[in-house]
Amino acid sequence: MLIPRFSAVLNRDRLELRGWRLTPTGARRLADEPALATVRALDLTGNEIGDDGLAALLASPHLGRVTELRLAENNLTAAGLRALAEAPALAELGELDLADNALGPDAIAVLAPLLPRLEILDLGDNRIGDAGARALADAGFRGEELGLAFTDIGPAGLAALVDGGALARASGPSLIGNPLGDEGAAVFARLAGQTDGFSSVDLGWTGLTADGLERLLASGVFSRGISHLCLRGNPLGEAGMRVLATHPGLPKATLHLDDVPPALLAEIRARTRAIVAPSVAEGRVLACPYCYEALDLAIAKCPHCRLDATRDAPTDESAARHRDAPRRTCPHCGGAMHARYASRCPHCARWAVGADAIARDGAVV
C-alpha cells in the first residue's frame, strides 16, 4: 500500500506528484512502494530527483508498465538518461516529458533506443542545439507531438528535423524561442509537402520578419487544419501586420500577436481571429489557458520566493482534489502558502472555481 501522502493522489493507474520536491531520497522511498505496479501514468514534474533518484525509481521491482512519464524540472543529465533508455518497465512508453532539465545533444544520443516508439516527446528548455536536433532525426523519432521550445535549434538543426521526417506527423510543433530567423522559416515552409496539416504552431520569439512570414504563408504550410498560430515576440513590424492583413494564404486560424495598430488589427480580424497580448505589468496573467483570450488578471505569488505559484493552481475540474489548498507548498521553493484562485475568465466563463467551491474548499482569495 502506498504511504498516505502518495495514496492521496493515486487515481487508478495515474500517480501525479507535481512539485512535491521529492529529491533523490523521496524517489527512493517511492521506489519501495508495491502499488507502483498499478501505475501507468507517472508525473514527477518539479521534484529534483536527479540522476540518482531516477535510477533508483527505474530499478524498482514494483514499477509496472509505464506508458506516460513526466520528468520535467528534475535536474537530469545525459548520465541519468541511460537508465531511462534501458529500463524494462518502459518497453511500452509512448509519452515522455523531459523539459527543463540539464540535457545537451549527448542526451539525445543516449535516448536513441527509446525515441522511435515515442508518440509524444517534450525537450523544451534543454540546450540540445543543432547537434541534438540531428541526433533526434537520425534516431528515428516520428511522433505526433514534439516540444522544442528554447532548445537553441537554428536553421541547420530544423533542416535536419524536416528532411529527416521528424516533424512530418507532428500536430503542433513548438519552436518558440529558437534562433531560426527567416532562414529557418524557409526551412519550415518545406513541411508543406510532408504534413497533412497542423493543429497549432508556435513560432514566437524566433526572429521572424515580414519577409519570412510572407514566405511561410505563400508555401501553404498553414493551409490545412491549423487552429492556432503564435507569432508573438518577432520583429514583424507594420510590414508584417500588412502581410497578415492582405496575404491570400492567411489561414483561418487564431493568430497570437503582440500590439498591432488598431486599423491593421481591424483588417486582420476581418479575415480571421486574432488575440493581441495587452501591455500589462509584471505579475499579470496574459491569456486564459482554455480559450486563449487576452486577460489582465493578477496571479498568485509565493510569499517566500515571490515566484509565480499558479503552475498547478486549482481549476474547475480539479478543485475537489485541492481541499487542503491552504497548506499547499510553493512549487519553486517549497514554502507553505495559501492557494489563490485566478478570476473566472470573462470570455469563456472557465478557469476559476465558482464562489461555492471556493467557500467549500477554504481557499484564500
Side-chain angles (χ1 to χ4, degrees), residues 42-357:
L42 179 58
D43 189 345
L44 294 176
T45 299
N47 277 286
E48 302 176 10
I49 64 173
D51 294 342
D52 292 342
L54 179 60
L57 183 63
L58 294 176
S60 169
H62 309 298
L63 191 62
R65 297 187 305 277
V66 177
T67 59
E68 300 176 22
L69 183 59
R70 301 184 181 278
L71 294 170
E73 302 172 46
N74 272 293
N75 298 331
L76 301 177
T77 69
L81 298 192
R82 297 190 188 281
L84 190 69
E86 299 168 358
L90 303 183
E92 298 177 17
L93 188 69
E95 180 174 346
L96 178 61
D97 183 356
L98 291 170
D100 202 6
N101 281 292
L103 308 179
D106 54 336
I108 309 303
V110 171
L111 283 174
L114 200 61
L115 295 176
R117 63 176 182 265
L118 294 179
E119 286 295 327
I120 299 175
L121 175 62
D122 192 347
L123 294 168
D125 290 289
N126 289 293
R127 307 307 179 197
I128 67 171
D130 290 345
R134 285 191 291 270
L136 185 60
D138 291 344
F141 176 82
R142 302 292 185 271
E144 293 183 358
E145 292 186 26
L146 179 59
L148 294 171
F150 298 97
T151 48
D152 286 345
I153 292 176
L158 182 59
L161 293 170
V162 170
D163 297 338
L167 296 176
R169 295 181 59 233
S171 60
S174 175
L175 294 165
I176 179 174
N178 287 296
L180 299 174
D182 291 345
E183 184 182 353
V187 172
F188 192 87
R190 300 207 298 260
L191 284 168
Q194 292 187 28
T195 177
D196 291 331
F198 303 109
S199 60
S200 64
V201 175
D202 194 337
L203 293 173
W205 287 272
T206 55
L208 185 68
T209 73
D211 290 340
L213 176 60
E214 186 165 17
R215 185 162 187 172
L216 281 171
L217 297 181
S219 72
V221 71
F222 302 134
S223 62
R224 287 178 288 183
I226 188 168
S227 58
H228 287 273
L229 175 59
C230 179
L231 299 171
R232 292 194 57 213
N234 288 305
L236 296 172
E238 185 172 334
M241 296 305 104
R242 291 196 182 281
V243 169
L244 294 175
T246 61
H247 200 285
L250 184 72
K252 291 295 183 182
T254 299
L255 305 179
H256 297 256
L257 307 169
D258 291 321
D259 288 336
V260 181
L264 282 174
L265 180 59
E267 292 183 41
I268 294 170
R269 282 181 166 164
R271 306 184 65 202
T272 192
R273 190 166 182 248
I275 295 174
V276 178
S279 299
V280 294
E282 181 182 0
R284 309 293 283 185
V285 173
L286 295 181
C288 170
Y290 293 107
C291 72
Y292 301 102
E293 281 288 357
L295 302 173
D296 183 10
L297 302 172
I299 61 176
K301 287 192 174 182
C302 171
H304 307 286
C305 66
R306 303 305 300 161
L307 294 176
D308 173 12
T310 59
R311 183 182 67 189
D312 298 317
T315 64
D316 283 338
E317 291 78 13
S318 66
R321 296 193 289 109
H322 290 269
R323 293 184 183 277
D324 293 329
R327 292 187 292 278
R328 289 182 70 224
T329 59
C330 170
H332 302 287
C333 72
M337 57 172 288
H338 290 281
R340 297 180 183 273
Y341 293 94
S343 301
R344 185 177 294 275
C345 173
H347 305 285
C348 68
R350 297 178 70 187
W351 195 356
V353 296
D356 55 339

